[in-house]
Amino acid sequence: PVIAPGLGPVPDPVVLLIVVRDRGPGVDRGEIEAILGKGVRGSNVKGVPGEGLGLYTSSCLMERMGGALSCRLADPGFAVVLEIPLAR
């Protein structure tokens, strides 16, 4: 079995779960799904360099691999969750 930190043994894992988190200001709750769109950035980053392509590109790649990318508010901060399917 695989040992998942804080969860104990996982008998037959089917996905690798990776959570990338920061402790910054996060995004507005209503923008969480929208920021996965091409060219979309959070309203709190006006004046900060960027094109709004990072999360969009990552989400597209995860989907092509049969995985998933989702965003969540952390307290404090912001989290991106990657679900990567494991080979069987």
Side-chain angles (χ1 to χ4, degrees):
V2 174
I3 303 299
L7 298 177
V10 178
D12 187 18
V14 294
V15 298
L16 173 63
L17 188 67
I18 298 174
V19 179
V20 180
R21 178 180 180 217
D22 69 19
R23 296 187 183 277
V27 299
D28 289 337
R29 185 172 302 280
E31 297 177 330
I32 291 176
E33 291 300 319
I35 61 172
L36 294 176
K38 186 175 184 178
V40 178
R41 301 181 72 212
S43 61
N44 63 337
V45 294
K46 289 183 178 155
V48 177
E51 300 297 326
L53 296 175
L55 289 173
Y56 168 76
T57 302
S58 298
S59 179
C60 289
L61 291 171
M62 289 300 301
E63 186 176 313
R64 287 188 71 183
M65 293 188 306
L69 181 148
S70 60
C71 299
R72 300 182 184 160
L73 292 178
D75 188 21
F78 182 72
V80 175
V81 180
L82 303 172
E83 296 179 51
I84 303 169
L86 299 174
R88 295 198 157 257

